[in-house]
Amino acid sequence: MTEPRLCELSVPGRVGFRFPAVDVPSEALPENLLRQDLPIPELSEMDVIRRYTHLSQLNYAIDIGFYPLGSCTMKYNPKINEETSRYTGFNAVHPLQPIETVQGALAMMYELQEWLKEIGGFAGVSLQPAAGAHGELTGVLIIRAYHKDRGDLKRTKILIPDSAHGTNPASSAMSGMNVVEIKSDARGNVDLASLKAECDDTLAGLMLTNPNTLGLFDEHLEEVIEIVHKAGGLVYGDGANMNALLGIIKPGEVGIDVLHYNLHKTFSTPHGGGGPGSGPVGVRKHLVDFLPTPIVGVLEEATDEVPPLYGFTTPAKTIGRVKAFHGHFGIMVRAYTYMLMHGADGLRKVAEHAVLNANYLLARLRHAYHVPYDRICMHEFVAEGFWDDAPEIHALDIAKRLMDYHFHPPTNYFPLIVHEALMIEPTETESKQTLDAFVEAMLKIAEEAHQEPELLKTAPHITPVGRVDEVRAAKDLILTCNARPE
Ligand SMILES: *Cc1c(COP(=O)(O)O)cnc(C)c1O
C-alpha cells in the first residue's frame, strides 16, 4: 500500500494540540517518568484528521452496503440508538454515583431486564456479561453452581453438538467442564442416539445453539430437552440467534434453563471488530438465585405520590460478579431504544422478515450452489463454496470475488461440518432489491468459477489491499508508529 504512515508525515516542531500549563511543580514529578524525547509523530490536527478520515473510507461497514456475515447478524443499526445513548442522563453518569441520582438509568436497566425476561420466557435476567461468549461462561458457571449446591459433584460433563458455535466448547472448557461433542444427524438435528449414549450421572448439561450454525431449527427440540432433563442435566441455550425467534417462541417456555442474548446482534448495536457487546443471561426459576450480582431491583415499591426506588440486589446463592460495575451500559441504552421503537409486534416482524429473507436467498441460490442440509432455514443458511467440476475454486475465492461486486463476504469455513462453508445471513433490514443484486452477483460468480476461474483466484481486484496473510495480520499486529526508531 502506498499510504504513508503517520510517522512518515511527521515534521519536527509541528503541533496539533496544546497542553494546558502544568499545575504541579516539576520537582514533584518522579524523575523516571519525565522524558524529553517521546517517539510520537509530530503533526497538525489536519494531518491527523485527513489521515484517519481517509483510512475510514477504505473500510467497509453496514452503513456502506450489504453485509451477509452468517451468525453475526449484521443488521442496520438505526441512528436513533446513537442519539439516545448520547443523552447526558445516560452518558454522563458514573457507576459509583448514589442510586438516588441515577434513577432514570436504573429504571432503563430494570425495564430492559423485564423485557428480556418476557422475550425469552425467563424468571430472571442479568445484564452484566460483556458479550455472547461471556454470557456463555456466566451460564455454564451458573449450571456448575446449581449442581454443586445440590451436592451433585459428579456432574462435570457438558455436551455440545458439532453444529454449535465455536465459543460454546471454549466457554465450557474455561468453566472447568469436560466437553463432549455429539454428532448431528442427516437433517442437521442433534443425533438423538448419540445424545442418549452420553446421558449418564456425570451430565451437567447440554449447550444447544438453536437455530444451530446451519441456520436450522432442531426438529426434536422438546425431545432433546426432555432427554437431558431426565438424565439430571440442564439445558443451556445459545441465544445469539434470537433474531430468528423473537416473538415466535420463548426458549424458557420450552424448557431451556439458561440462555444468553446478544444485544449487539439481535437488538442492533454496532459490532464487529471487537466490541463492545452485551450478552445478558436469562434463567428459569430454579436458577434465579445463582445469577451474578448485582441485579437491578425495586428497593421500594411505588406509591401514589412517589415512583419506585430502583437499586441493586444480590441473588441468594450468586456466582459473584462477572464484570466490573454493571456491564456495557451504552449498549443497553441502544438495545432498549431499539425494542422501544419496535414494540412487541415489531420485534416479531423482525424475526419473520429475517427468516423470509434468508429463505428467499436460499430458494434463489440452491440451484447454483450445493446446500448440504437443504430444508426450510431460519435466519441464515449454509451453502458449499465448491463444485466438483471447478476443483481449483474454494469458498475463499468466492468470498474474495464478492468484494469486487461491492458486497461483504459471507462467513466462510464455518460451521466445520460443511465442506467449504459459505454461511449467509441477510437479516431483515435488507430490501428485495439488495437481495436480488446479491443473488445476481452470486450467480455471476458461479458462472465465472467455471468459465474464468482466474478471476476468482486473483480477487479482490478493487480493494486497496489484495489478499492478505490473514493469520499474520491477526497475530502480528503493528500497533505503534515509531517516529524515531532507535
Ligand atoms: C456471535 C455468536 C456467539 C458469540 O458472541 P460474541 O458476542 O461474539 O462473544 C455465540 N454463539 C453464536 C451462535 C453466535 O452467533
Side-chain angles (χ1 to χ4, degrees):
M1 196 160 76
T2 52
E3 196 74 19
R5 293 166 61 200
L6 275 184
C7 45
E8 288 159 3
L9 298 174
S10 180
V11 174
R14 190 167 284 174
V15 287
F17 186 80
R18 217 171 305 138
F19 289 99
V22 183
D23 60 357
V24 279
S26 57
E27 309 85 68
L29 297 168
E31 198 138 329
N32 61 346
L33 294 184
L34 287 175
R35 282 171 293 173
Q36 289 307 321
D37 236 17
L38 279 176
I40 293 174
E42 295 172 75
L43 301 154
S44 69
E45 178 177 317
M46 189 179 71
D47 292 336
V48 175
I49 291 296
R50 283 195 179 155
R51 158 79 179 178
Y52 283 108
T53 303
H54 187 208
L55 280 181
S56 77
Q57 289 172 331
L58 302 179
N59 226 333
Y60 192 86
I62 187 65
D63 289 352
I64 293 174
F66 186 46
Y67 207 135
L69 191 66
S71 208
C72 294
T73 313
M74 304 304 283
K75 62 172 74 178
Y76 175 70
N77 313 127
K79 295 299 168 255
I80 189 166
N81 298 353
E82 298 308 310
E83 210 174 306
T84 54
S85 69
R86 283 165 180 72
Y87 285 173
T88 312
F90 285 143
N91 87 353
V93 292
H94 190 280
L96 293 181
Q97 264 176 251
I99 57 167
E100 294 74 16
T101 67
V102 287
Q103 283 296 302
L106 293 178
M108 185 283 293
M109 291 173 78
Y110 183 80
E111 205 155 310
L112 182 59
Q113 287 170 190
E114 292 299 303
W115 291 352
L116 290 172
K117 276 156 66 174
E118 174 68 23
I119 286 169
F122 292 114
V125 161
S126 162
L127 299 174
Q128 240 180 58
H134 193 204
E136 293 171 26
L137 177 75
T138 305
V140 179
L141 290 176
I142 289 173
I143 291 178
R144 198 175 77 163
Y146 169 82
H147 291 307
K148 203 168 159 199
D149 182 59
R150 301 166 76 242
D152 206 350
L153 301 177
K154 280 201 305 272
R155 295 191 179 270
T156 55
K157 178 164 70 178
I158 292 272
L159 303 180
I160 302 186
D162 58 10
S163 62
H165 193 264
T167 49
N168 292 186
S171 50
S172 298
M174 275 190 80
S175 322
M177 293 287 186
N178 301 321
V179 175
V180 175
E181 184 177 281
I182 49 175
K183 286 199 307 256
S184 299
D185 67 16
R187 288 181 60 78
N189 298 313
V190 171
D191 184 72
L192 293 179
S194 309
L195 174 66
K196 283 179 191 152
E198 289 293 345
C199 282
D200 52 28
D201 63 359
T202 68
L203 179 67
L206 166 77
M207 215 165 177
L208 192 68
T209 303
N210 185 59
N212 63 23
T213 58
L214 297 166
L216 300 175
F217 194 93
D218 198 293
E219 293 167 305
H220 313 121
L221 180 64
E222 283 169 311
E223 204 178 339
V224 166
I225 292 170
E226 197 185 316
I227 292 168
V228 174
H229 282 165
K230 273 213 174 114
L234 298 180
V235 179
Y236 184 98
D238 180 329
N241 293 338
M242 275 302 285
N243 214 45
L245 308 179
L246 287 176
I248 297 168
I249 103 162
K250 297 189 180 186
E253 284 182 0
V254 294
I256 286 176
D257 299 286
V258 43
L259 173 137
H260 80 265
Y261 300 88
N262 277 45
L263 295 193
H264 44 295
K265 293 180 182 171
T266 312
F267 303 105
S268 87
T269 81
H271 59 290
S278 179
V281 165
V283 295
R284 286 169 68 209
K285 210 163 164 209
H286 49 287
L287 297 178
V288 166
D289 283 348
F290 299 95
L291 282 170
T293 184
I295 305 273
V296 179
V298 175
L299 302 188
E300 287 166 26
E301 294 292 343
T303 65
D304 289 345
E305 290 86 42
V306 288
L309 177 72
Y310 296 100
F312 297 107
T313 61
T314 297
K317 299 170 182 176
T318 179
I319 60 164
R321 257 187 190 285
V322 297
K323 177 88 177 73
F325 301 120
H326 314 303
H328 288 158
F329 182 75
I331 303 299
M332 296 172 205
V333 179
R334 290 172 173 85
Y336 178 87
T337 306
Y338 179 82
M339 292 185 194
L340 195 62
M341 294 300 288
H342 279 78
D345 291 345
L347 291 180
R348 186 188 164 102
K349 283 205 183 91
V350 163
E352 288 171 352
H353 287 143
V355 171
L356 182 64
N357 279 0
N359 278 286
Y360 178 71
L361 289 185
L362 173 61
R364 291 208 56 199
L365 290 174
R366 65 154 65 94
H367 307 291
Y369 290 81
H370 182 230
V371 177
Y373 299 87
D374 192 0
R375 57 179 169 95
I376 297 269
C377 68
M378 299 298 285
H379 60 305
E380 63 191 356
F381 66 96
V382 182
E384 280 182 4
F386 180 83
W387 298 271
D388 287 335
D389 54 355
E392 69 271 44
I393 297 297
H394 298 280
L396 185 71
D397 304 314
I398 297 166
K400 296 293 183 196
R401 182 66 180 146
L402 264 171
M403 296 163 80
D404 288 340
Y405 289 93
H406 304 277
F407 293 116
H408 193 286
T411 298
N412 50 58
Y413 299 104
F414 180 78
L416 302 173
I417 52 175
V418 173
H419 181 55
E420 299 279 342
L422 288 171
M423 187 191 209
I424 299 170
E425 179 183 12
T427 84
E428 74 285 358
T429 55
E430 300 300 331
S431 66
K432 181 165 180 297
Q433 287 72 20
T434 301
L435 300 181
D436 284 336
F438 176 72
V439 167
E440 292 316 315
M442 287 293 282
L443 297 179
K444 192 90 199 350
I445 290 170
E447 217 176 278
E448 291 169 355
H450 292 85
Q451 283 154 18
E452 281 177 279
E454 210 39 40
L455 261 182
L456 275 70
K457 300 302 294 180
T458 52
H461 303 104
I462 62 160
T463 51
V465 184
R467 291 212 189 183
V468 293
D469 180 343
E470 287 170 17
V471 176
R472 213 180 128 223
K475 295 208 161 159
D476 194 9
L477 294 178
I478 302 169
L479 295 175
T480 57
C481 184
N482 198 341
R484 297 191 198 100
E486 294 300 310

